[in-house]
Amino acid sequence: MKKIIAISALTLLPLSNAMADQDIGCGLGSQLFAGQEGKVVKVLGATTNGTSGNQTFGITFGTLGCDGTGTVTASTKVATFIDGNMEQLARDMSRGEGESLDTLAEVWGVQAQDKAAFNKLVQAQFTHVFTSENVTSQTVLENLNNLVASDSQLSSYTLS
Amino acid sequence: MFKFLIVASFVLSSSAYSATTIHNIASHPYWLKLGHYQQSISGSYESEVDSHSFFLSVNGKFDPHAELLATIEAFQNENNDVTCQFPARYQWLKQSFYSEWPELACPEIKTWQKLINPKGMTLVFPTAFMNDPASMFGHTLLRIDAKDQTRSRELIAFAVNFAAEPDATDNAALYALKGLIGQYPGKFTLMPYYRKVREYNDLESRDMWEYKLALSESEIQRVLLHLWELQWATFDYFFIDENCSYQLLALLQVARDDLNLTNNFSSHAIPSDTVKALAEHKLLSMPRYRPASGTMLINYESQLTDEQIDIARKLKNGEPLSGFSLTAEQAVPVLEMAYEWLNYQYYDQGLEREAIAPRLTALLHQRSKLLLPSPFARPVTPSISPEKGHDSSRFGMVFNHFKYSENRYGFSYRMAYHDLLDNAGGFIPGAQISFFDIEGDLDSEGNVYLEHVYFIDAMSLAPDNRLFDSWSWNMRVGFDRKPTDDKRKGRAFIQGGYGKSFGDASGFQSYFLASSLLQAGELTDSVSLGFGTEFGLIWQASDAQKLALTAQGFWLANDASTNHQIELAAHWQIALAQNWGLRSSYVYQNQQSTEQQLKLQLFHYF
């Protein structure tokens, strides 16, 4: 997966085009600090153990691509993980450590010997990844991928 | 009997079992588990599954025998659609009785099994959160641990969740009501574990306990094959029984032929009790602890000085870091604290995104410029995990000594769940919820008295501290007795209070509530209204000892016989063992007359 693509080609037409269509079903595009309805909903939810109503998981969750027919690619896995963990990733990346960041490196396929470099890179370049509070998970993924692509040690991990 | 059946299957080596044999298979415990059948007192069966698509026979919900016949017929006709819809039934029947059947051949299931790649299974129990005693009833879910799983891949493991599927168009009130009375169908779903961690740990701020289950790989495969079948199953979802915890037990018990986990849960399944049921079957190992966002925040707070908290508060409110002339080492802890604090408030209080999100982002941007690791130590794992807490029902032997009337002996029973004096280990400190707590007494002449019945007695004491401005409250509804000039007279009442609490709920805590009271009955002649206060000091002296001083005083607005009602009490409970406690109390009551009471109670939790 982590395959060598000419960096120029990548920065011109990065993931957005290649992945946008197939990932639409995953709801990619969640916002940082999306907020929630506050305590009443929380307490009711805890009382009845209901789900929040917008989840469409089934037993076979994960066997199909986000459009419901395709296969699950490595970049889809990275995309969905970022999408579901925006705030935890933002917090971990700002510190250069944390469980969610470790998991991201795993899902991304970063080998053990490169993890420290990965963590260092995302912390140092944090403001270029989470550029503002209005950044979407799609943009975060693209920003990260661009960073990885232009880093000499990590460029082999660039997602296509 | 079953040895005989297996031998018989070799001898016959054909599909033509006798009617008696089929009858025996139909009443085999494992077949009944696969169909989620429960036997009523009259001997008839009914499945807890409510959807028709889970049954092959028209009368399958009520007739395990007819369902077995329909199943065998479909399998023997090599109807692959049906086989792949019910792979657990197929495997079990093939292994136990029909060895001549071909191997299961279902490409979709193969793909699915390969994706999940299971090696182990973990039971996950998110505990209650402060200020919502109802969440004490908690939730349980399963995590499937993959073969290539490491600590850092845990978040992307699959979680098996059982929950009601609400109608998204219903409003909050309707949602709560329909959820409680079972109007939403319950279903099993699979999702990434991080969804549940985000939901419980981060948004609802509930600590999570993760217990690795002692199941072999082949046992886990059995569970998963049955989970596959449950795609076609919906359950009427009831809040108290047939809830998530009950259904997880019903799923897990297909792991082994002789495992029966649901037997003891005919009326209600409280999650912590189901955790204990698994512990009793020796299925749990030492749990791992995943602290909630609120726990993390309090842990951060405990490691900072007043001055640091003050800076963090200012940063949280939007003041720039440059105004404080701090070194990098000094800036890191206050920036991290400010972020966690503001983020917690943002979700907890549902603050405006437009105001808060830019501030949160700015805090992270500033933190990322400081290339130092986080200085905070992780929260300490509580010494007593939830499965080591007392059981949820309580039986008591009571001795009452009254100064101005004769002694009484009695028994008490509480259906659920935990009060502030009960053995504290394994429970959220400062939260109490009792359902149906009743005491009946006998005097020396053999007269029987109903001493009290509390339908609900809930209290939430969330202490104020350097971070939170929290409110505490209580509510009690029921019947009890108060002293009068000639005898102890009964009253039905409802009482509630709202106020503040200070200190440490697992150490020394005080509370002060403004309360009101409505009561009626023999005691008051007519309905009387009271206003007053409740005050208390609670001290958890050790893991095994709790002491409390409590006081309540009411001014009665329209009582013909008296204008006040006062009660002072001192309590001391010793935990003798996990499920045994001894409580001694001294109670002073002043109503129409004065009474002093010594009360000794021996409790057994079960």
Side-chain angles (χ1 to χ4, degrees), chain B residues 482-487 489-491 519 521-529 554-565 590-594:
Chain B
K482 298 281 177 193
T484 64
D485 289 331
D486 55 335
K487 62 171 193 165
K489 287 184 178 168
R491 55 150 192 170
Q519 58 187 2
E522 194 188 7
L523 179 72
T524 59
D525 297 329
S526 63
V527 175
S528 94
L529 184 66
F554 285 96
W555 170 75
L556 302 177
N558 55 340
D559 192 302
S561 45
T562 180
N563 64 357
H564 69 278
Q565 182 169 316
N590 185 307
Q591 177 88 12
Q592 294 165 24
S593 73
T594 298

Side-chain angles (χ1 to χ4, degrees), chain B residues 293-354:
Chain B
S293 53
T295 310
M296 296 289 263
L297 184 61
I298 289 166
N299 171 57
Y300 278 20
E301 184 257 359
S302 69
Q303 298 176 50
L304 296 178
T305 63
D306 284 347
E307 195 191 349
Q308 286 174 307
I309 293 283
D310 190 50
I311 298 174
R313 180 182 287 112
K314 287 174 178 157
L315 291 172
K316 173 175 83 73
N317 293 338
E319 290 186 31
L321 182 67
S322 52
F324 295 97
S325 64
L326 301 172
T327 64
E329 281 80 7
Q330 291 170 325
V332 168
V334 288
L335 276 172
E336 291 189 2
M337 177 70 208
Y339 173 80
E340 295 296 327
W341 192 353
L342 185 57
N343 191 49
Y344 186 88
Q345 284 186 326
Y346 175 52
Y347 283 102
D348 190 51
Q349 300 169 15
L351 302 176
E352 276 292 310
R353 182 176 187 275
E354 275 148 56

Side-chain angles (χ1 to χ4, degrees), chain B residues 28 98-100 108 116 161 259 270 332 376 459 490 536 571:
Chain B
H28 190 290
Y98 294 90
S99 55
E100 72 281 8
E108 277 183 26
I116 295 175
N161 192 47
L259 191 59
I270 293 176
V332 168
F376 291 108
M459 189 153 191
H571 305 278

Side-chain angles (χ1 to χ4, degrees), chain B residues 71-211:
Chain B
T71 303
I72 292 173
E73 194 193 338
F75 289 170
Q76 279 176 340
N77 292 337
E78 300 190 19
N79 182 337
N80 214 41
D81 286 349
V82 176
T83 311
C84 295
Q85 196 180 346
F86 296 104
R89 293 187 193 180
Y90 187 85
Q91 288 289 58
W92 179 68
L93 286 171
K94 174 174 158 57
Q95 275 162 16
S96 309
F97 309 102
Y98 294 90
S99 55
E100 72 281 8
W101 285 358
E103 288 296 318
L104 192 67
C106 307
E108 277 183 26
I109 295 178
K110 273 252 151 54
T111 314
W112 185 67
Q113 285 170 322
K114 228 175 105 191
L115 176 83
I116 295 175
N117 193 21
K119 180 176 171 51
M121 217 171 228
T122 299
L123 179 84
V124 181
F125 175 52
T127 55
F129 59 84
M130 281 299 283
N131 250 342
D132 181 15
S135 73
M136 273 197 191
F137 292 103
H139 186 66
T140 45
L141 59 139
L142 294 171
R143 190 182 70 214
I144 309 169
D145 299 314
K147 289 211 175 80
D148 61 351
Q149 188 163 312
T150 58
R151 276 292 291 279
S152 48
R153 294 187 75 91
E154 214 173 83
L155 285 177
I156 49 167
F158 286 99
V160 179
N161 192 47
F162 181 86
E165 292 211 319
D167 182 344
T169 57
D170 284 346
N171 65 31
L174 207 56
Y175 165 69
L177 181 69
K178 281 180 155 185
L180 284 170
I181 60 175
Q183 285 299 296
Y184 293 126
K187 275 197 84 129
F188 280 98
T189 50
L190 212 59
M191 63 184 73
Y193 183 51
Y194 61 75
R195 297 284 307 215
K196 303 314 281 180
V197 175
R198 303 289 84 110
E199 180 181 347
Y200 294 118
N201 248 188
D202 300 342
L203 294 178
E204 297 186 351
S205 188
R206 296 158 78 165
D207 294 335
M208 295 167 86
W209 292 86
E210 303 167 335
Y211 300 85

Side-chain angles (χ1 to χ4, degrees), chain B residues 474-513:
Chain B
N474 75 351
M475 187 173 85
R476 193 175 301 141
V477 181
F479 166 92
D480 63 9
R481 288 179 189 279
K482 298 281 177 193
T484 64
D485 289 331
D486 55 335
K487 62 171 193 165
R488 293 173 63 73
K489 287 184 178 168
R491 55 150 192 170
F493 71 99
I494 175 167
Q495 174 182 342
Y498 199 70
K500 282 286 178 186
S501 158
F502 307 94
D504 172 8
S506 44
F508 189 81
Q509 184 177 29
S510 63
Y511 65 87
F512 185 86
L513 307 175

